[in-house]
Amino acid sequence: MATAIAGAAIGPAVAGITLGIVRQAGFNRQNGRNQAFNHAGNMVGAGLSGLLGWLYGFTAVFWLAAAFGVLSIVSVLMIPSDSIDDDAARGLEHEGGDDGHASGFRVLVETKPLLILAAALLFFHLGNAAMLPLYGLAVVADKHTDPASFVAMTIVIAQGTMILTSLVAMRMAEKEGYWLVLLMSFIALPIRGVIAAWLLNKWGVYPVQILDGVGAGLQSVAVPGLVARILDGTGRVNAGQGAVMTVQGVGASISPAIGGWIAQELGYGPMFLILGAFATVSVGLWVIFSSLLKPACAGRPGRATPALAAAGTAGT
């Protein structure tokens, strides 16, 4: 429960602090760096945990986590509070001496690009969340590999891939906008499902987790950046980040139950194909509504127009 609470808070909090420091114009680049360091920390932490656990037992792993937690707190306290513009942090920019007022929470349900993004992410995580744990069960159940080394390998491969894809996503978003970045992340899951169904052995972990890193790495940059851009000027960027994360969490929480039931009834191979197929709905939504999404995805940073324009045309 403590881990879930921290995980739910840290995403919008880091995005808000970043936006408050660098504003819209610098958010994409800094968020890309944040995510690269985030994934690097996950990879190093997994490696150190494995080493300390092997040398000193599992207790050492928890002490390591506590030490990293203290260092994180120290890092946050080193950020000067006056370097964060609290209004900019929630997507509310002042123009011409205007004090500015946040939009009502209705903007979250009236902004079509935000709703389509949330729906696409729901179906993606409905297929994605269960794939790794069930793939691990399938491989270990057939005694293809050692469970402990397999888990460590999946983390290192995925997080290492995410470091690279986070930086690539940052560059792509600057040149092409977020639409193509997210489309590529959605396409990665059906391919991953086919490979997982075909390579149910210890060698399959490499392509399966590389594709996991591609999808997650691209989304770690594109989703916060797109939400911040869509809701720019509304003052509800952080609420929007939380709303999108909630929808993602709904899909991710249902995924293991659906995946486990399919595996029980049909076997692991068909289950991976079906889980991967959920993301085809995401691809379909992203392509069908591309004419609505592309302007929002490519909107110029610093302009408070995407959400307000979308909400204003909600009835058209």
Side-chain angles (χ1 to χ4, degrees):
M1 290 174 64
T3 301
I5 292 170
I10 196 169
V14 172
I17 290 173
T18 304
L19 191 59
I21 294 174
V22 301
R23 312 299 196 276
Q24 278 286 342
F27 184 76
N28 174 65
R29 185 172 290 270
Q30 185 58 46
N31 183 52
R33 295 193 190 101
N34 290 352
Q35 295 304 326
F37 277 99
N38 172 39
H39 301 312
N42 289 336
M43 186 172 67
V44 172
L48 287 176
S49 296
L51 177 62
L52 293 178
W54 178 62
L55 292 174
Y56 304 109
F58 284 116
T59 303
V61 177
F62 297 111
W63 282 111
L64 178 67
F68 280 146
V70 171
L71 291 174
S72 298
I73 293 171
V74 172
S75 299
V76 172
L77 292 176
M78 290 175 65
I79 302 174
S81 59
D82 58 2
S83 69
I84 303 171
D85 185 325
D86 292 328
D87 285 336
R90 58 185 180 139
L92 186 63
E93 297 284 359
H94 296 169
E95 297 182 4
D98 181 19
D99 290 337
H101 296 283
S103 302
F105 284 104
R106 288 180 56 189
V107 72
L108 300 180
V109 296
E110 291 178 343
T111 307
K112 284 186 176 181
L114 187 68
L115 295 177
I116 298 167
L117 172 65
L121 291 171
L122 170 68
F123 284 101
F124 177 86
H125 286 278
L126 191 62
N128 184 69
M131 194 165 288
L132 174 58
L134 290 174
Y135 187 78
L137 282 174
V139 173
V140 172
D142 288 340
K143 297 180 173 59
H144 286 296
T145 187
D146 172 69
S149 62
F150 180 83
V151 171
M153 189 181 301
T154 61
I155 296 173
V156 171
I157 292 171
Q159 296 295 331
T161 305
M162 289 177 199
I163 296 172
L164 297 176
T165 53
S166 295
L167 297 174
V168 170
M170 177 184 73
R171 300 280 185 180
M172 286 182 60
E174 289 180 346
K175 295 180 179 180
E176 306 291 340
Y178 290 116
W179 186 84
L180 181 59
V181 176
L182 280 165
L183 179 64
M184 291 175 61
S185 77
F186 296 145
I187 291 174
L189 184 56
I191 299 173
R192 186 180 175 215
V194 171
I195 294 175
W198 179 51
L199 286 176
L200 275 173
N201 55 58
K202 64 180 181 180
W203 302 111
V205 67
Y206 293 99
V208 167
Q209 284 307 95
I210 287 172
L211 286 169
D212 181 33
V214 169
L218 294 176
Q219 288 187 15
S220 68
V221 173
V223 173
L226 182 54
V227 172
R229 187 167 294 182
I230 289 173
L231 295 176
D232 185 27
T234 66
R236 298 300 182 191
V237 169
N238 298 313
Q241 300 280 9
V244 169
M245 287 179 62
T246 299
V247 175
Q248 287 178 307
V250 170
S253 63
I254 298 173
S255 180
I258 294 177
W261 175 75
I262 296 172
Q264 185 73 28
E265 297 296 325
L266 302 178
Y268 284 110
M271 179 269 297
F272 289 125
L273 295 176
I274 293 172
L275 288 182
F278 283 127
T280 60
V281 180
S282 304
V283 174
L285 287 171
W286 213 243
V287 172
I288 291 171
F289 292 101
S290 61
S291 61
L292 180 64
L293 292 165
K294 284 183 177 180
C297 292
R300 285 187 291 164
R303 289 185 62 85
T305 55
L308 301 180
T313 58
T316 62

